[in-house]
């Protein structure tokens, strides 16, 4: 009897979803849970892999879209913005400041 094989080993990893593009062309994506590095790709399909850092200096456009208290992360390399994944609520209710 043949051992059942799992479909394909090359299932793509979950991708952050592009949810908005700001007027200046900055992309805003929603993170995959526990995501720490940017998955934005350049023209040569090379992964950016920049570190995502909490970012507080967003402008009015981001505030209008996501709220003045929005939790925003920014890639330190390509400056793509990320918002948290709604499934990712590890910080039980308490704000970080
Ligand atoms: Zn990046």
């Amino acid at each position: 009897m043949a051992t059942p094989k799992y479909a394909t080993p090359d299932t793509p990893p979950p991708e952050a979803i592009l949810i908005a593009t700001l007027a200046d062309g900055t992309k805003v994506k929603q993170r995959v849970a526990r995501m720490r590095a940017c998955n934005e790709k350049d023209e040569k399909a090379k992964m950016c892999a920049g570190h995502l850092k909490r970012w507080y200096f967003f402008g009015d456009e981001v505030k209008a879209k996501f709220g003045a208290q929005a939790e925003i992360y920014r890639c330190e390399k390509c400056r793509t913005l990320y918002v948290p994944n709604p499934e990712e609520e590890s910080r039980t209710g308490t704000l970080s400041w």
Side-chain angles (χ1 to χ4, degrees):
M1 204 169 113
T3 320
K5 284 211 169 93
Y6 287 102
T8 37
D10 57 346
T11 311
E15 291 263 335
I17 315 154
L18 183 68
I19 54 170
T21 306
L22 303 184
D24 65 0
T26 304
K27 291 178 186 174
V28 183
K29 297 168 103 177
Q30 186 181 85
R31 300 195 322 179
V32 176
R34 288 180 297 282
M35 182 178 184
R36 292 281 176 273
C38 179
N39 74 343
E40 191 64 19
K41 294 188 180 78
D42 69 12
E43 316 83 63
K44 292 163 219 132
K46 195 181 172 227
M47 187 98 97
C48 169
H51 191 218
L52 304 185
K53 281 189 157 173
R54 184 71 190 268
W55 189 59
Y56 300 94
F57 311 106
F58 46 83
D60 292 338
E61 194 181 359
V62 173
K63 283 180 195 169
K65 279 187 163 67
F66 304 103
Q69 304 297 318
E71 190 178 333
I72 301 287
Y73 294 82
R74 188 172 75 154
C75 170
E76 58 185 8
K77 278 172 83 176
C78 70
R79 297 184 181 181
T80 297
L81 302 185
Y82 285 83
V83 296
N85 190 295
E87 293 164 23
E88 194 176 14
E89 287 180 49
S90 47
R91 266 169 273 165
T92 41
T94 41
L95 290 172
S96 48
W97 64 81

